[in-house]
Amino acid sequence: MASPSHRRPLRKRRRTALVSTVAVAATVLVVSLVVALRPDRDANTVQATATPVAGTQVSASPTKPKPTPSTASPTPTPTATTSSARPSPRSTPKPAQRPASGTASLAGRIQPEVTYRGVATHYDAGDGDGACLYGPSPDLMVAAMNHTDYESSKACGAYVLVRAVGGASVTVRITNECPLPCAPGQLDLSKQAFAKLADLSAGRIPITWSLLSLSTSDTVSIRYKTGSSRHWCGIQAIGHRNPLARLEVGVGSGWRQLSRTDYNYFLSADGTGCGGPLRLTDIYGEQLTVNGVAIRPDAVQPTRVQFTQH
């Protein structure tokens, strides 16, 4: 049996060894915790996941980021009252006439090779005279053109082929004006002409009509208006195959165009050219020169010229 003196030093050594073991373990634990809690642990991995994609924004705050204000000029919102707005094709009205591939350059509202739509009415044409002031005529296949298409007497003398819905047709010459409220496209036919299309009791019928260039052996005639002289004159052309666009009088080596009235006379207010050579131009641009027409008021003086048929 060991003596006590030998037991006490053994317990001291055991205690010392236990304390050393605990101290070492504590040291290891602290070192482990320090290593585990180091702020730069896996630093490269953290930075890689936090690097933003180009063009995006990263917010350090959990709140919703504010949008970056745009520096571009605001785009105005179009309104229905904008004057530059383009109308919808559906709202664009279609013309009431069928345009032709080619038209006369000097024609007014009534173009050749164009079909117009309207209505026909009838009136008592009497002796065939009217606003065009051609005078009485034995041929009562005449018509009054509506105010708009009459165009201040530009329609005077035009020959028009009129067709009814049922297929009947008649050719008339424009000698009169149908005042408002006659609508564009409307023709007021003599009773004799209307009867070729329908019974007079119909009163008003739908029609189509187009300009004609008739075949005729007649020539153009010239008439000076009442009161004409060397100081003032009114000149009228009668019997032209195609609508007349201009009437000019000779002035020296040139020509002077006369203004046209709504009663179908061309006036020279100061007498220039009265009694001299005349030049007539139709809507196709053809020109006829007439010489030797004396100033004889109200006398119809025939010439030897006529426009070409188209």
Side-chain angles (χ1 to χ4, degrees):
M1 181 175 180
S3 62
S5 59
H6 291 163
R7 290 187 189 117
R8 289 187 185 116
L10 180 61
R11 287 198 296 269
K12 185 175 180 181
R13 287 195 297 270
R14 287 178 177 176
R15 187 181 298 113
T16 301
L18 180 59
V19 170
S20 299
T21 301
V22 171
V24 172
T27 300
V28 173
L29 179 61
V30 170
V31 172
S32 300
L33 290 174
V34 169
V35 172
L37 297 176
R38 285 176 61 186
D40 58 346
R41 180 179 179 268
D42 297 329
N44 292 336
T45 304
V46 173
Q47 290 178 358
T49 58
T51 302
V53 179
T56 63
Q57 294 180 343
V58 177
S59 175
S61 172
T63 59
K64 185 178 180 180
K66 295 181 180 180
T68 303
S70 173
T71 58
S73 301
T75 302
T77 302
T79 63
T81 58
T82 303
S83 60
S84 60
R86 182 175 297 176
S88 170
R90 293 184 179 181
S91 63
T92 303
K94 295 182 178 180
Q97 60 194 41
R98 177 177 57 81
S101 58
T103 56
S105 60
L106 297 177
R109 287 181 55 87
I110 303 175
Q111 297 279 336
E113 300 182 37
V114 175
T115 298
Y116 297 87
R117 297 183 181 277
V119 296
T121 50
H122 60 77
Y123 75 108
D124 186 357
D127 58 7
D129 197 7
C132 296
L133 296 186
Y134 287 131
S137 171
D139 181 7
L140 293 182
M141 293 296 109
V142 296
M145 182 63 72
N146 67 83
H147 172 77
T148 303
D149 294 324
Y150 182 78
E151 201 174 4
S152 188
S153 80
K154 285 186 179 180
C156 286
Y159 289 93
V160 173
L161 175 63
V162 187
R163 293 185 176 90
V165 175
S169 65
V170 64
T171 298
V172 295
R173 185 169 65 115
I174 304 302
T175 62
N176 208 347
E177 177 186 7
C178 184
L180 296 173
C182 279
Q186 181 174 349
L187 288 176
D188 202 21
L189 306 177
S190 67
K191 290 182 178 180
Q192 292 83 350
F194 189 95
K196 300 285 186 181
L197 304 178
D199 192 273
L200 294 179
S201 61
R204 183 185 184 95
I205 60 172
I207 58 167
T208 60
W209 55 273
S210 56
L211 187 65
L212 284 183
S213 180
L214 291 181
S215 173
T216 178
S217 58
D218 294 338
T219 60
V220 178
S221 296
I222 299 296
R223 177 165 54 196
Y224 276 90
K225 196 176 186 309
T226 303
S228 293
S229 67
R230 292 283 183 182
H231 307 289
W232 176 94
C233 66
I235 309 171
Q236 182 185 64
I238 305 171
H240 40 84
R241 171 185 279 128
N242 307 318
L244 196 62
R246 290 197 300 255
L247 190 150
E248 301 166 286
V249 293
V251 180
S253 59
W255 297 93
R256 174 182 172 183
Q257 183 176 341
L258 301 184
S259 60
R260 190 174 194 168
T261 67
D262 58 1
Y263 52 87
N264 197 34
Y265 272 90
F266 294 82
L267 299 184
S268 175
D270 58 2
T272 299
C274 295
L278 306 175
R279 187 166 72 176
L280 312 178
T281 306
D282 70 1
I283 62 172
Y284 299 97
E286 183 180 359
Q287 295 181 330
L288 305 176
T289 301
V290 180
N291 293 298
V293 180
I295 302 176
R296 296 170 54 194
D298 296 327
V300 177
Q301 304 181 62
T303 69
R304 297 180 180 181
V305 296
Q306 180 59 274
F307 292 112
T308 303
Q309 184 180 7
H310 290 265

